[in-house]
Amino acid sequence: MAVGTQERAQAPVDSAKLIDGLNEDLAGEYQAVLMYSNFAARLTGPYRRELRAFFQGEITEELRHAQFLADKIAALNGAPITEPRPVPDADQPRAMLECALETEKQAIAGYKERIHQADAFGDVGLRLDLEDLVADETRHKEEIERILAGWRQVS
């Protein structure tokens, strides 16, 4: 048992609270799909091809996450939402990457919270699946950070 695990005992979570949280995450995945699609279409500049391929690759991953969440919500007898979070607007490649970075950070934070809820609900399988989503989103975040680290500021 990890150090501090006993001190972090949580109150039980009911299925309605877990479903609400999963729906928040689902709205974030829908947002990411729309954001990456929009950014891929609107890109301009010398790195257009590379960034377009990157953004298009992210769409597939985010759709897979969204489907997993919708299926889990339905399995819990909930209704998956159909509305995304507001999609950030950016028209320059660096700004697009910065928006994408913030979206990935938000997804990671949400999934970490959901892991605690899954534990409190007693759904070990969900916890493990959510850990996989955290790993995916962390890889996305790190890739964006690496792209931004090498980005030259154009004056």
Side-chain angles (χ1 to χ4, degrees), residues 102-135:
E102 288 309 309
T103 299
E104 297 296 347
K105 287 178 180 179
Q106 187 176 12
I108 292 166
Y111 288 137
K112 285 181 177 181
E113 181 179 338
R114 223 62 61 228
I115 286 169
H116 295 301
Q117 288 179 332
D119 279 343
F121 185 69
D123 191 332
V124 175
L126 177 58
R127 176 199 170 84
L128 295 173
D129 288 332
L130 290 167
E131 287 175 349
D132 288 342
L133 294 180
V134 169

Side-chain angles (χ1 to χ4, degrees), residues 2-153:
V3 175
T5 302
Q6 290 178 339
E7 295 96 30
R8 201 178 354 138
Q10 297 179 349
V13 170
D14 65 12
S15 63
K17 184 172 182 175
L18 182 57
I19 289 167
D20 287 347
L22 292 169
N23 266 321
E24 288 176 29
D25 298 330
L26 182 55
E29 294 297 346
Y30 289 154
Q31 173 199 43
V33 168
L34 293 171
M35 178 189 68
Y36 286 127
S37 296
N38 179 277
F39 290 174
R42 295 175 61 196
L43 275 166
T44 59
Y47 305 113
R48 181 181 185 285
R49 279 184 196 241
E50 294 84 357
L51 290 176
R52 180 175 167 86
F54 173 74
F55 288 152
Q56 287 175 327
E58 294 299 299
I59 294 165
T60 305
E61 284 289 311
E62 307 304 353
L63 278 172
R64 187 176 58 78
H65 296 170
Q67 189 62 62
F68 164 77
L69 292 167
D71 289 344
K72 186 60 182 184
I73 292 164
L76 292 169
N77 295 317
I81 61 154
T82 58
E83 294 291 320
R85 289 183 188 146
V87 177
D89 186 37
D91 61 0
Q92 296 300 312
R94 183 178 180 87
M96 290 175 183
L97 289 164
E98 289 168 347
C99 287
L101 181 60
E102 288 309 309
T103 299
E104 297 296 347
K105 287 178 180 179
Q106 187 176 12
I108 292 166
Y111 288 137
K112 285 181 177 181
E113 181 179 338
R114 223 62 61 228
I115 286 169
H116 295 301
Q117 288 179 332
D119 279 343
F121 185 69
D123 191 332
V124 175
L126 177 58
R127 176 199 170 84
L128 295 173
D129 288 332
L130 290 167
E131 287 175 349
D132 288 342
L133 294 180
V134 169
D136 286 348
E137 300 294 5
T138 299
R139 281 189 292 276
H140 300 170
K141 178 187 82 68
E142 290 170 350
E143 184 63 22
I144 295 167
E145 288 171 337
R146 291 184 65 158
I147 293 168
L148 283 168
W151 200 272
R152 291 186 310 185
Q153 253 336 17

